[in-house]
Amino acid sequence: MAIRRILTIDIPADLAILKTVAKPVESVTDETRALMDDMLETMYDAPGIGLAAPQIGVLDRVVVMDLGDGEVAEGLEGEEAEKAARNPRFFVNPEILWASEETMPYEEGCLSIPSYYDEVQRPARVRVSYLNYQGEKIEEEIDGLYAVCFQHELDHLNGVLFIDHLSRLRRDRAVTKVKKHQRMAA
């Protein structure tokens, strides 16, 4: 497993990749699983709760997520409790089959848009389909943070960033803030 560089919107070449539609994966192979393992390690290192393959420069329809909603044994604290709560999820060729008319606002952030958060309205519930880590086809209805994160990461596979859901003024503000943050970090 390896930690990969996460592409950011302030670098024109990175932005071009982030705005490209990812291609479907033929089947879940050992190579696909190795990619997902690298993505998970990269996401944990960032830290984040979701990562799409285009964010590390791979234009495949692959997503990893961990909302930290796993079971934690009694008595664990700190880093041990955090690791025990991990609940990694893997999605190959994810798609939305149905979305509720009801929406919910959620303040989103993105590893490719560091230090910027803004509220986005998305369907509150979605029915989704994907291949899991073993290549099995899964269909499920999801809601809450799980649904928000799934939709956010699926957008990445379609060349869409969460700031694309914002007004032009707020989108421009995000780009300016990221550029300033990256200059200060350098």
Side-chain angles (χ1 to χ4, degrees), residues 97 127-130 136-141:
L97 304 174
R127 181 148 193 79
V128 299
S129 171
Y130 57 90
E136 301 161 331
K137 182 144 177 121
I138 306 291
E139 275 191 29
E140 62 181 327
E141 190 168 313

Side-chain angles (χ1 to χ4, degrees), residues 91-115:
F91 308 89
V92 176
N93 298 332
E95 59 182 318
I96 294 174
L97 304 174
W98 168 86
S100 68
E101 288 186 28
E102 174 193 0
T103 62
M104 68 176 268
Y106 196 85
E107 187 173 76
E108 296 185 24
C110 181
L111 296 174
S112 292
I113 308 170
S115 75

Side-chain angles (χ1 to χ4, degrees), residues 29-50:
T29 63
D30 287 343
E31 185 178 314
T32 311
R33 285 186 278 278
L35 170 64
M36 290 189 281
D37 292 342
D38 285 355
M39 289 172 63
L40 198 62
E41 187 172 351
T42 301
M43 182 191 74
Y44 287 143
D45 182 67
I49 62 171

Side-chain angles (χ1 to χ4, degrees), residues 11-71:
I11 299 171
D14 286 5
L15 183 59
I17 293 168
L18 290 168
K19 299 301 279 177
T20 302
V21 175
K23 65 185 184 330
V25 174
E26 295 282 324
S27 64
V28 178
T29 63
D30 287 343
E31 185 178 314
T32 311
R33 285 186 278 278
L35 170 64
M36 290 189 281
D37 292 342
D38 285 355
M39 289 172 63
L40 198 62
E41 187 172 351
T42 301
M43 182 191 74
Y44 287 143
D45 182 67
I49 62 171
L51 187 69
Q55 291 180 272
I56 61 166
V58 178
L59 291 172
D60 288 340
R61 297 187 77 77
V62 176
V63 167
V64 298
M65 253 188 257
D66 191 337
L67 307 179
D69 55 356
E71 295 289 321

Side-chain angles (χ1 to χ4, degrees), residues 156-171:
H156 275 297
L157 301 181
N158 294 323
V160 176
L161 301 169
F162 90 91
I163 60 173
D164 294 334
H165 294 282
L166 306 176
S167 69
R168 182 176 190 90
L169 175 66
R170 288 166 60 198
R171 192 170 44 248

Side-chain angles (χ1 to χ4, degrees), residues 171-182:
R171 192 170 44 248
D172 291 346
R173 186 180 317 146
V175 172
T176 300
K177 186 172 182 176
V178 169
K179 287 180 179 179
K180 180 179 178 183
H181 174 78
Q182 297 298 73

